[in-house]
Amino acid sequence: MDRPVEPGHFSACEARLDKHMAGLCSVDFPVAVVLPAGGSGERTGLLTPKQFCTFLNRPLISYTIQTFERVPWIQSIVVVVAKESLDLMMDIIHRFHHRNVLVVHGGSTRHRSIFNGVRALSEGEDGTARVKPKVVIIHDAVRPFVEEDFLLKITMAAKEQGAAGAIRPLVSTVIATTLEGYLDHSLERTKYRASEMPQGFIYDVIYQAYQRCSESDFEFGTECLHLALQYCGTNAKLIEGPPTLWKVTYKRDLAAAESIVKETLSQSACVVTGGSAQATELANALQRSMSALDMEVDVISDLIGDNAKSLSKEWNFIQLSVNSSCFSEVGRILGALEEADRALLHPVVIIWVYLNVSEDGSSASEPTGGEPAAMMELATGAKLGNILVYGIQLHHSKEATLWGRSVEKVAQMSCALIRDRSPALTGQLLQA
Ligand SMILES: Nc1ccn([C@@H]2O[C@H](COP(=O)(O)OP(=O)(O)OP(=O)(O)O)[C@@H](O)[C@H]2O)c(=O)n1
Ligand SMILES: O=C(CO)[C@H](O)[C@H](O)COP(=O)(O)O
């Protein structure tokens, strides 16, 4: 029999749940989640199973685990992986500091993997009984984006009805084909829905459904809600979910998942002026231009005292320097981010904007000798810690149109650097 491996303890989770239940949350019963991640991802055409494919320096499965870790009323997380992926999974849990995750061996089909995960919630590896949850959520490990409020809807409906599942409108019409490959008939699209995940079940319902179902169900079935209906007479409540519930199935879906994460990380930026009048003027102009590019910008003079909060909230920093090619301010942001392990889960961007103001207001001066090399050195070290450092140099102009154009260019470059998060461009001192 497949045996679970426990890197974490459920007791910490129980304490978390108790604390939460003390006042904040309407979920006053134990909830667990099973994340089947034991497939090989053939349809991606990649050698690595899709749940272990990495984007923005982190495997897909870690994004999904993090999604559930953030939900305070979820008591325990069971991840089901193929035997050969066990070490890799343990390494991911360790590397990204995941807590309270129970890892269980998978089976040869999705249903077999899910049943192993469900069973592990009530039975220890030596057959000893565990305190089973009231509701279990089942969610494909390759659907990284699901919001707490939707999980709550599924959980509460599952508690009421015995089973609940996410649905989406069909994108294409479903047709039946003849054996010869001709159209047999088509279904009326408005009557049908795509069944997605998450799904929620009263624990005993899904456990019994799996105990009663046939070998053929285990081998060929694709729908847990169907098992609950057929073997326990439980009619699932269906709830329409958002499009982001889609399942990563093909290679292009990995790129789509990456772009969703990038978009989330690129909604705002924090501009640090250092306090000088010229830098503040530039920061205010950048704020206007970047907000026209749909990026919210907060302008602060430093990252001290109350302003230090930005270090734990913001994913993007723009540090302004006027006539000073010294990287000490950038170094300070870097140090603070590294100390807080801020870039563990997502890459953080720092853009150093160097404003060159010559005495006579001319724009003749060029970047001075050591800067590009020093930038590169700083950025190379930062990249190892998942912090992406870029530089932009601009010259002040007394001529309003020219100056406006330069500021606009800095705003566009900053938005592009933040949105692309390209490791290849780190350390470059770009010219605006
Ligand atoms: N024996 C299996 C097969 C699938 N899954 C999991 O079930 C989820 C949804 O299945 P699917 O998208 O079909 O994944 P794969 O089977 O890996 O993909 P493919 O069919 O392309 O091989 C995935 O998280 C997958 O890892 C599983 O736990 N155990
Ligand atoms: O949506 C789902 C269930 O309702 C499943 O994710 C889907 O059935 C998985 O199937 P497959 O392994 O064939 O992709």
Side-chain angles (χ1 to χ4, degrees), residues 43 110 140 143 195-197 199 222-224 247 249:
R43 282 171 285 178
R110 181 170 170 270
D140 292 326
R143 298 178 192 255
S195 174
E196 309 279 345
M197 292 269 151
Q199 294 176 350
T222 56
E223 183 53 77
C224 306
K247 178 162 67 73
T249 301

Side-chain angles (χ1 to χ4, degrees), residues 121-356:
L121 285 165
S122 64
E123 241 178 66
E125 53 184 306
D126 51 1
T128 51
R130 285 189 167 132
V131 182
K132 62 190 181 191
K134 174 77 186 165
V135 167
V136 57
I137 299 170
I138 297 171
H139 188 78
D140 292 326
V142 292
R143 298 178 192 255
F145 309 113
V146 54
E147 298 293 333
E148 179 176 350
D149 58 351
F150 192 71
L151 288 169
L152 186 62
K153 282 187 196 162
I154 291 287
T155 301
M156 297 314 270
K159 164 112 180 313
E160 289 295 309
Q161 311 290 324
I167 50 167
R168 289 283 306 153
L170 287 178
V171 176
S172 305
T173 302
V174 176
I175 57 173
T177 57
T178 63
L179 284 176
E180 297 77 30
Y182 292 93
L183 176 68
D184 187 279
H185 63 276
S186 70
L187 299 183
E188 201 182 319
R189 192 170 62 176
T190 51
K191 280 194 187 164
Y192 294 86
R193 295 289 178 273
S195 174
E196 309 279 345
M197 292 269 151
Q199 294 176 350
F201 301 87
I202 290 201
Y203 184 84
D204 292 339
V205 168
I206 192 66
Y207 187 84
Q208 278 167 23
Y210 273 122
Q211 274 195 319
R212 293 170 187 169
C213 78
S214 64
E215 272 309 301
S216 159
D217 289 316
F218 270 124
E219 195 62 30
F220 305 109
T222 56
E223 183 53 77
C224 306
L225 299 179
H226 170 78
L227 298 183
L229 179 62
Q230 189 173 353
Y231 295 102
C232 295
T234 301
N235 249 118
K237 171 76 182 161
L238 303 176
I239 305 175
E240 183 157 329
T244 43
L245 289 179
W246 106 114
K247 178 162 67 73
V248 170
T249 301
Y250 301 101
K251 190 176 167 190
R252 62 170 181 263
D253 293 320
L254 286 162
E258 174 170 341
S259 90
I260 291 173
V261 176
K262 281 181 174 173
E263 201 181 310
T264 315
L265 296 177
S266 306
Q267 282 164 2
S268 65
C270 173
V271 179
V272 187
T273 65
S276 83
Q278 272 159 325
T280 308
E281 184 205 335
L282 172 58
N284 291 336
L286 281 177
Q287 188 179 42
R288 284 191 294 277
S289 297
M290 288 172 76
S291 92
L293 298 170
D294 283 334
M295 196 171 294
E296 206 180 290
V297 169
D298 193 19
V299 176
I300 54 177
S301 55
D302 51 41
L303 284 159
I304 300 167
D306 228 27
N307 289 343
K309 278 189 210 139
S310 301
L311 290 165
S312 57
K313 283 192 313 204
E314 191 50 71
W315 296 106
N316 310 295
F317 297 86
I318 300 175
Q319 172 68 57
L320 306 187
S321 296
V322 181
N323 281 353
S324 152
S325 56
C326 154
F327 296 118
S328 59
E329 295 110 327
V330 172
R332 268 198 292 279
I333 303 181
L334 201 54
L337 293 170
E338 281 169 350
E339 200 183 311
D341 216 357
R342 185 72 176 94
L344 175 74
L345 298 179
H346 298 293
V348 180
V349 167
I350 305 176
I351 302 173
W352 179 62
V353 174
Y354 172 35
L355 173 60
N356 194 345

